[in-house]
Amino acid sequence: ETSTAGNAAEYDFVVVSNRLPVDHVVDDDGATSWKASPGGLVTALEPIMRSNDGAWVGWAGRPDLDIAPFDNDGIHIVPVPLSAEDVENYYEGFSNDTLWPLYHDVIAPPTYHREWWESYVAVNQRFADAAAAVSAEGAVVWVQDYQLQLVPKMLRDKRPDLTIGFFNHIPFPPYGIYSQLPWRAAIIEGLLGADVIGFQRVADASNFARAVRRLTTSTTKTTTIEVASPGRATRRVIAKAFPISIDSRSFEELARQPHIQARAREIREGLGNPKTIMLGVDRLDYTKGIGHRLKAYGELLADGRIKVEDVTLVQVASPSRERVQAYMDLRDEIELTVGRINGDFATMSHTAISYHHHGYPREEMAALYLAADIMLVTALRDGMNLVAKEYVAARFDDDGVLILSEFAGASDELKRALRINPHDIDGLKEIILQAISMPKRERAARMRSLRKRVLEYDVSRWSTAFLSALAGVRGDRDTAES
Ligand code: G6P
């Protein structure tokens, strides 16, 4: 029992996610500090947390840390410890070697291990207990993403007074794929503990509804699910699409700053001022289709349809899940391909691919977006893809061409991007050529339309929509009980 145990249950708004918004990092000299953690989730939720004075329950990003809760920049941080074994079985194993490939259309083969599942259950229970301990009576708890799908039910069993939301940041797969999972029914039951279950796309929500019909006795009617539990009144759960977004204005403001624009010019010069700079920005993940985009670019160079002096590709691939085998294999494959293309086509003054295995701060990303004539998003499957939205938000000059995979959630909204099927290499090559030669007037018209969407549907609109749906369910329940 910690000293705060008696008065810890005081937060009315609690976010629960695998990762805290900050990672605990140790430098080479042994000094420790906190640094913004990777992924789109943090960027999406941070502004809401600041304005809500809530608590955030999550993992600090390293094994075997036992850190007391603390306040960081207006957010109460509640670290959940994971042992080295938990990291291996719950995080690297079940979350990222079972669920991640399964939910992304089995692009990589999912591995099913019973030990990993047991660890997933145990760790989910730990997160649920931690959330229950900080939540005030009647609080709103918002659980995030595929790592914590059992938490809604675990929380409801322990704290029926809470209003519980769940948002799935990644795709929810079609039943034919989902049904492979040996624990498919338990996950659905876990999720149905929430009052509102949010998905990125309408298709994800309907895949989920189908799984509910196949695996439970609950009935579904468009976005409403009637959950029947023995000995209790039926409970109404909403399951629908709430496409996530970014803090668009702040991204635009950043890009407008003179030093960012100067940095963008410097980047162009550093690359030898090619006519066209193409950019890819991804976590180094097999879902992102990085190999497909390299293949298309390499073939265009080999065919002589573009010249290395004219068209440079900048690829930022931020390190991710580096102890999972599929990610090690992917890194080898991508770096081999980059090396081959550069070896075949680079000259003493011009590289073909400027490859960076790093994450960069927001400032540098904004400058890169401004420097890039073409943004390449070629995901084979992606929940949303916030990079596409960041590129659009940064282009206050109404210039730049977005090439966007139809398999990214963002393509439901960004209709005037050049949409592609990344598996179709010839199609991708044609679209790249079309983007290179697109007249300025067409670029501006398309970008204006994309910007309208991204600036209007920003992250605060997303969270407001989700939280109003949650408040609506709670209102109905209060009425029913009184
Ligand atoms: C995706 C997931 C997030 C995750 C992020 C980074 O965006 O939806 O839940 O945090 O990737 O992955 P990591 O495994 O490093 O947390």
Side-chain angles (χ1 to χ4, degrees), residues 138-142 155-156 159-165 194-196 469-471 473-475 477-478:
V140 168
V141 182
W142 193 359
L155 256 181
R156 179 167 302 279
R159 292 288 304 275
D161 60 297
L162 302 176
T163 301
I164 304 168
D195 294 294
V196 175
L470 207 47
V473 172
R474 183 201 195 121
R477 199 175 62 196
D478 292 349

Side-chain angles (χ1 to χ4, degrees), residues 410-480:
S411 86
D412 280 3
E413 293 176 79
L414 304 181
K415 299 236 156 64
R416 294 214 63 200
L418 292 181
R419 284 192 287 182
I420 49 119
N421 167 6
H423 297 283
D424 174 9
I425 301 296
D426 284 336
L428 179 53
K429 286 163 72 181
E430 292 306 322
I431 288 282
I432 289 174
L433 294 175
Q434 185 189 332
I436 290 172
S437 62
M438 187 182 286
K440 186 163 173 49
R441 215 176 329 107
E442 184 182 347
R443 299 201 301 261
R446 286 177 179 273
M447 187 53 81
R448 266 198 297 273
S449 143
L450 295 173
R451 289 179 56 70
K452 190 164 177 286
R453 175 75 201 190
V454 171
L455 287 165
E456 194 174 329
Y457 289 82
D458 66 358
V459 72
S460 76
R461 206 162 156 145
W462 167 75
S463 58
T464 304
F466 187 92
L467 294 172
S468 331
L470 207 47
V473 172
R474 183 201 195 121
D476 288 352
R477 199 175 62 196
D478 292 349
T479 321

